[in-house]
Amino acid sequence: MAAEIVNPRSANSAGDGADEKGTGETGDGLFDPAFALHRGGKMEIRATVPVRDRDDLSLAYTPGVAKVCTAIAEQPELVNDYTWKSQVVAVVTDGSAVLGLGDIGPEASLPVMEGKAILFKQFGGVDAVPIALDCREVDEIVETMARLAPSFGGVNLEDISAPRCFEIERKLQERVDIPVFHDDQHGTAVVTLAALRNAAKLTGRTLGELRAVISGAGAAGVAIAKILVNAGIGDVAVCDRKGIVSLGRADLNPVKRELAGFTNKAGLEGPLETALKGADVFIGVSGGTVPEAAVATMAQDALIFAMANPTPEIHPDVARKYAAVVATGRSDYPNQINNVLAFPGIFAGALQVRASRITEGMKLAAAEALAAVVADELSAECVIPSPFDERVAPAVTAAVAAAARAEGVARR
């Protein structure tokens, strides 16, 4: 399968009059380039073998295909060698938590899923198929994807609202023997850890010396907290809209109660501002705004990763007054925490060794490899590589494949 950013079908535009359906195109030739790029979709399917004559047809389809089908029926593992299965990922959503748009439904989510698929191809050489599901119940989504799993080498869950996303990922992974990866959680966590490792190194510290505060206890916040704890962070407190997630609160759902059990060793309680006093690290994955007065109470040489998009929780101009390193989720500032640095290489590595799942060790290996790409080039404006750095995907792919073998989940 091939993906093209400029689709020739875009020439099949509507009439010359002003568009009344919100496409941004007008009769005077002015238009929003985003709509022009998306017309007809951003992807197409292409054959990888020729069908030029009767001989080609007899091999690609009947009767030649029957030999391959029979061989796979007799030795099911051959499906990985003689079909696309081991090279393709399903990009799956229900449209319930799309970008900063929220619950917009499956059809409206398709442009994002197509975009994700072309990033898989562009940055990791991995083919991907967008799948938007018209169902919301956890078990419905799990059952649907479990039934589709024979066609794919992996499943990338995308833009599914919390806390359902946690249960869907867990239950689906229990049902299938291919990697299931919720990128909103783990991709964000891997890139955050990589950047934090380098930021700590740049400022002469180790992860174990840092106390971090995470604003946001959704999918990304929970995953970041887990990977930081697994990587050896000194302490981390997670805050939601009601304040610090702690075992003393009676309003926690099961996910947050579990979160409280392995974070906040200091036993802090109260609002975000309380957590920030003396903290070394701020990680924002929530939206909202943090008052400058609270930022000013952080420790010297603070590390501020304000990743909400398009409006960071702490504006970079404010953050720079107090922080040694500032990162955001935006491409127009240095140190962009961008998931595209992680998920293409993670899946490429997992598919390369036909892994049955993506383990915590594989995620940690991905973060270490990503950090190492720019380890000799560190500065306050370079603690993470650019998404266009050609060293990234090969480094992450190799590290993930090696970790999969070491952890016993590789099958080749």
Side-chain angles (χ1 to χ4, degrees):
M1 185 175 69
E4 290 190 344
I5 293 180
V6 179
N7 193 310
R9 288 173 289 174
S10 64
N12 298 328
S13 59
D16 295 331
D19 189 286
E20 296 179 356
K21 297 181 180 179
T23 66
E25 297 182 9
T26 62
D28 59 6
L30 299 176
F31 60 92
D32 184 329
F35 285 96
L37 183 143
H38 283 78
R39 182 174 287 281
K42 300 190 290 288
M43 302 175 62
E44 62 182 18
I45 301 294
R46 290 184 182 177
T48 59
V49 297
V51 184
R52 299 161 299 197
D53 51 36
R54 289 175 58 183
D55 289 341
D56 288 345
L57 181 60
S58 69
L59 288 173
Y61 198 50
T62 186
V65 72
K67 297 177 182 179
V68 181
C69 292
T70 301
I72 293 171
E74 294 173 351
Q75 300 181 62
E77 67 276 8
L78 292 179
V79 70
N80 293 298
D81 295 312
Y82 294 106
T83 73
W84 77 346
K85 176 181 170 69
S86 64
Q87 305 169 63
V88 68
V89 171
V91 180
V92 181
T93 191
D94 63 358
S96 60
V98 178
L99 295 173
L101 304 176
D103 186 350
I104 59 175
E107 288 89 351
S109 74
L110 267 176
V112 180
M113 300 310 111
E114 287 183 4
K116 194 81 172 192
I118 67 174
L119 295 181
F120 264 110
K121 187 68 172 180
Q122 176 73 22
F123 292 100
V126 173
D127 287 316
V129 177
I131 298 177
L133 299 178
D134 187 15
C135 55
R136 292 296 176 88
E137 294 298 323
V138 168
D139 290 339
E140 285 184 322
I141 294 175
V142 171
E143 184 67 25
T144 300
M145 289 314 304
R147 291 178 182 274
L148 288 173
S151 295
F152 299 101
V155 176
N156 183 93
L157 299 174
E158 190 77 17
D159 294 345
I160 298 174
S161 63
R164 294 179 310 121
C165 59
F166 303 111
E167 191 175 6
I168 289 168
E169 183 184 44
R170 177 181 61 79
K171 285 189 169 184
L172 182 56
Q173 186 64 83
E174 291 171 354
R175 288 281 303 275
V176 302
D177 66 346
I178 57 175
V180 178
F181 184 85
H182 185 213
D183 184 53
D184 299 325
Q185 293 183 60
H186 311 300
T188 307
V190 165
V191 181
T192 300
L193 173 58
L196 189 58
R197 280 189 181 282
N198 279 341
K201 179 180 178 181
L202 181 66
T203 55
R205 292 172 287 183
T206 65
L207 286 177
E209 297 175 274
L210 301 178
R211 181 170 73 83
V213 176
I214 299 173
S215 176
V222 171
I224 292 169
K226 285 182 178 179
I227 203 169
L228 291 184
V229 169
N230 288 337
I233 193 82
D235 195 10
V236 55
V238 183
C239 301
D240 63 12
R241 290 172 183 158
K242 296 182 180 180
I244 301 167
V245 175
S246 64
L247 289 173
R249 282 176 48 180
D251 61 340
L252 302 180
N253 62 31
V255 171
K256 291 182 181 179
R257 181 153 293 279
E258 179 189 2
L259 179 66
F262 65 84
T263 61
N264 192 20
K265 291 187 293 187
L268 301 175
E269 295 184 349
L272 172 68
E273 287 81 358
T274 297
L276 278 180
K277 292 177 182 176
D280 303 290
V281 182
F282 170 82
I283 298 171
V285 284
S286 65
T289 302
V290 178
E292 182 173 349
V295 179
T297 68
M298 294 182 68
Q300 186 176 2
D301 289 332
L303 311 174
I304 294 179
F305 292 10
M307 290 147 46
N309 232 335
T311 305
E313 295 88 349
I314 303 169
H315 192 280
D317 291 344
V318 173
R320 290 192 190 102
K321 295 180 184 179
Y322 309 98
V325 176
V326 177
T328 72
R330 292 176 49 148
S331 60
D332 53 348
Y333 289 102
N335 299 323
Q336 184 190 20
I337 308 298
N338 191 328
N339 288 19
V340 78
L341 289 163
F343 68 81
I346 289 173
F347 267 101
L351 294 176
Q352 184 180 96
V353 298
R354 296 177 188 169
S356 59
R357 63 195 305 115
I358 293 171
T359 65
E360 291 304 310
M362 292 161 73
K363 297 170 199 170
L364 290 170
E368 291 171 7
L370 183 55
V373 169
V374 292
D376 296 329
E377 308 162 26
L378 295 183
S379 71
E381 297 192 344
C382 180
V383 295
I384 198 74
S386 160
F388 298 98
D389 189 324
E390 295 182 353
R391 299 171 295 176
V392 169
V396 174
T397 298
V400 169
R405 291 191 178 102
E407 299 210 340
V409 297
R411 289 176 285 199
R412 62 178 299 184

